[in-house]
Amino acid sequence: MKGIILAGGTGSRLMPITSGVSKQLLPIYDKPMIYYPLSVLMLAGIKDILIITAPESMEPISRLLGDGNRWGVDISYAEQPEPRGIADAYIVGADFVRGEPSALILGDNLFHGAGFQELLRECRTMTRGCTLFGYPVADPERYAVGDVDSEGRLIGIEEKPAHPRSRNAITGLYFYDSDVVEVARGLRPSARGELEITDVNRAYLEAGTVRLVELGRGFTWLDTGTYRSLLDAGQYVQVLMDRQGVRVACLEEIALRMGYITADECHALGAAMSQAGYGRYVMETAKALA
């Protein structure tokens, strides 16, 4: 399975900060924003990853992440010259996907919760249709909203409805079969000239091959594209670290636990950052798991 991180766009909701820096490089407490979606793909066991960025963000993001070798993954890059909608990721990344199933995650989304890794692995084994993730929110009018029947089956998707039928927002994580590129190519642009991911999901819904996984109590999903949500995410990560000693989206720890790198390699990565608390945590984790 292939993985795509859509890290394009202008970050307009975070201006003026994003006038001079890519949104995905802004910090969520102790690490760059893009570490969080990358960690999700790694936890799913996906090692072949394409990062789609705006042209001006290509150099700084690739300088940060490189080819992913130090974490035991393979990262490549592609440009999205201008924002053309989420589904455009499958136009830009068509050659990368090459007829394989894939997972797409937005570059500003944070996911965390018990049992998430097992859920991701289960989704990875599904090779037909698509899997979407629903999450209850207080302001569903800001999102695509999934309407379910009495048995929990998805029966409709509304894009930013004025009068939502449910509070079940569709999150920015999607698993698709190999048909998704052709589905995306068949879309008509919206009034904004964009290829909408909701239209892709509706196509799967109409074909009867969509699955909705509801992320409920005890789980956290944050879209970190606003000042408030960026602050909320940072505080959430800090509280977990301070109270439980957990560092969410520590790529070195994930790579070690997944068997992508050895304990010695993990320790060396931490030693290179030993002046920071993050680096010392990586070194301690490597020793504990050696």
Side-chain angles (χ1 to χ4, degrees):
M1 175 173 278
K2 301 293 185 74
I4 298 177
I5 300 175
L6 183 56
T10 61
S12 57
R13 294 181 296 169
L14 287 167
M15 287 185 174
I17 298 173
T18 48
S19 297
V21 64
S22 169
K23 176 176 70 173
Q24 282 76 26
L25 297 180
L26 296 178
I28 297 180
Y29 191 58
D30 60 345
K31 61 190 74 69
M33 183 187 294
I34 201 168
Y35 271 41
Y36 293 85
L38 179 54
S39 74
V40 171
L41 297 182
M42 290 174 63
L43 284 170
I46 298 172
K47 301 177 71 174
D48 197 357
I49 298 165
L50 175 70
I51 298 178
I52 299 175
T53 77
E56 63 273 14
S57 300
M58 176 74 75
E59 192 278 331
I61 290 178
S62 61
R63 179 155 39 89
L64 170 70
L65 302 178
D67 62 6
N69 180 66
R70 65 184 181 273
W71 301 301
V73 299
D74 185 9
I75 298 176
S76 54
Y77 301 87
E79 288 187 2
Q80 186 184 48
E82 58 186 19
R84 294 191 298 247
I86 297 172
D88 186 56
Y90 281 105
I91 306 300
V92 175
D95 290 339
F96 170 77
V97 173
R98 286 196 304 273
E100 293 188 37
S102 59
L104 169 65
I105 186 168
L106 304 188
D108 60 2
N109 273 215
L110 181 155
F111 293 84
H112 183 258
F116 189 42
Q117 183 176 354
E118 290 73 20
L119 179 58
L120 291 171
R121 287 179 174 178
E122 177 188 343
C123 292
R124 186 184 171 190
T125 64
M126 301 184 68
T127 58
R128 183 172 181 269
C130 81
T131 300
L132 308 177
F133 297 85
Y135 187 81
V137 295
D139 49 354
E141 64 278 358
R142 291 182 53 221
Y143 305 94
V145 176
D147 187 18
V148 299
D149 62 17
S150 59
E151 296 182 3
R153 291 176 299 200
L154 186 67
I155 58 175
I157 305 174
E158 297 180 283
E159 182 67 31
K160 297 180 180 178
H163 304 287
R165 296 178 182 176
S166 78
R167 296 193 302 113
N168 219 12
I170 304 296
T171 73
L173 174 63
Y174 320 87
F175 282 75
Y176 295 110
D177 64 16
S178 58
D179 294 336
V180 66
V181 171
E182 293 307 313
V183 173
R185 283 174 171 161
L187 296 181
R188 291 184 178 181
S190 67
R192 298 183 298 173
E194 297 184 351
L195 299 180
E196 302 289 353
I197 200 68
T198 293
D199 291 336
V200 172
N201 297 334
R202 284 178 180 145
Y204 280 95
L205 178 61
E206 291 170 3
T209 56
V210 66
R211 173 191 182 216
L212 180 69
V213 176
E214 298 196 42
L215 304 173
R217 289 175 180 259
F219 201 93
T220 297
W221 167 61
L222 292 168
D223 167 358
T224 62
T226 68
Y227 293 117
R228 176 60 185 269
S229 59
L230 189 65
L231 179 61
D232 288 345
Q235 291 176 332
Y236 174 79
V237 172
Q238 180 187 17
V239 167
L240 282 176
M241 188 192 72
D242 290 347
R243 297 297 298 270
Q244 298 181 1
V246 173
R247 286 190 183 257
V248 180
C250 176
L251 301 183
E252 294 79 8
E253 178 179 11
I254 292 170
L256 176 58
R257 291 184 181 276
M258 295 292 290
Y260 297 166
I261 61 175
T262 67
D264 286 344
E265 290 170 331
C266 183
H267 190 276
L269 292 175
M273 303 178 284
S274 60
Q275 296 302 308
Y278 181 90
R280 292 191 291 273
Y281 173 84
V282 171
M283 295 169 66
E284 292 166 2
T285 299
K287 289 179 181 178
L289 298 179

